[in-house]
Amino acid sequence: MGARVRTSVGAGRVMRWPQARSMSACVDPNKPNAALLQRLANEHGLKTTSDWKKLSTRDVYKAGGSGALKRHGFSIFSLLEEGLHPGPSGKLWPHDCRKTMPHRYWKQPENARAFLQSITAEVAPTTLHEWAAALTRKKLIDAGGAGLLREHGGTVRSLLAAVMPELGSQGPPERSARKPPGYWAKKENQREFLEYVGRVLKIEDVQEWTGEEEVLELGGAGLLSQFEWSLAKALKHFYPELKVRTRKENGHWKNKAACRAFMEEVASEHGVKEARDWQKVTTADVVAMGGSSLLTEYGWSMATLLKEVVFGGQVLDLSDVRPVLPNGYWSSVENRKRFLERFAAERGLHSPADWQSISSADVEEEGGRGLLSGRSLLSELRAAFGEEYS
């Protein structure tokens, strides 16, 4: 006997969905849209709350969730907040299940505090020193907190001072005491101090050190003064076999070739094989690989960075490479035309008769929801391909 299926009628066609194989522990079966979320969990292997961070709007559309998204203001988090079990705190936070935070999310101290507590739950730090040891820039960025770091000057200490003022301004550990003359000129003292900083900050990989602020805060000004105030040079001196990411010289990111080489590294790191694979790469991923200054050069816009650096300024359909498009993108007739031309090419649509089997929902599922906002598919086809499309 074949697998049982359910049917759902929408946008002039019948969609058949396999019955859910098993209920994900994340999905609340008693909430609306539980069946939709379960399909998504099964299809994309979403077993934990954090796994839902890799879910895109396109994924929801393809699973037949356009109506559910519309009811939730096209917010995936709003959809998940209604249908997933809350976290240990009794509340589901955006940072629990989404990779990109809502606008101005990090402006609210309670959001930042909840985020910091969630990523240090295993350690449960209580003092300023324990918090500084539990948090590194890399850990914050990997967990989705690049925007939070930027909001507070890019340093862990300034972040903690703003979000958790009750911790006070405790001075660094005992190593910050003044050292005797000539102390920092001895290589054994330099190496021993670096190892000490690594223990305090619980650094397992030397490449997690992306700046000098932690060393300075722990009393290492004398050490840095021996290496032209560069942590990278100190690390290279004692660990020459390791690939240490160095701070770029002024004007480095003005060089398109250097920018392109860096983005090739990003592509390799995140398994980007074709244009659409860039949808899964975020600004946080670029920052984590040392590209914050590169993003600054392009107005912190991944769309602009991809267009100018990766695709050499050529005209392209940004809906192919970005899950969220710039404001006003669909107001451009050329953008709408490029999208429809690409859609037609992929589906082998060569005449008005071919398009008769295509519904608005088909276009929305491929990322064209904005294209049809306030417009009809028929009028857009005429504008793109001529009056014979009527």
Side-chain angles (χ1 to χ4, degrees), residues 99-147:
K99 201 168 186 179
T100 303
M101 298 302 108
H103 181 56
R104 299 181 65 82
Y105 183 76
W106 296 125
K107 295 286 186 182
Q108 303 301 318
E110 60 270 23
N111 294 340
R113 179 183 288 267
F115 172 73
L116 296 180
Q117 290 172 339
S118 70
I119 65 175
T120 58
E122 293 182 0
V123 182
T126 56
T127 69
L128 180 59
H129 297 325
E130 290 174 351
W131 274 102
L135 292 173
T136 64
R137 286 169 54 87
K138 185 177 186 300
K139 184 171 185 176
L140 281 162
I141 291 171
D142 287 348

Side-chain angles (χ1 to χ4, degrees), residues 28 50 115 146 180 186 196 214 225 241 275 282 338:
D28 187 337
S50 181
F115 172 73
K186 297 181 180 179
Y196 157 75
E214 294 100 339
S225 69
E241 72 283 4
T282 67
R338 275 196 299 273

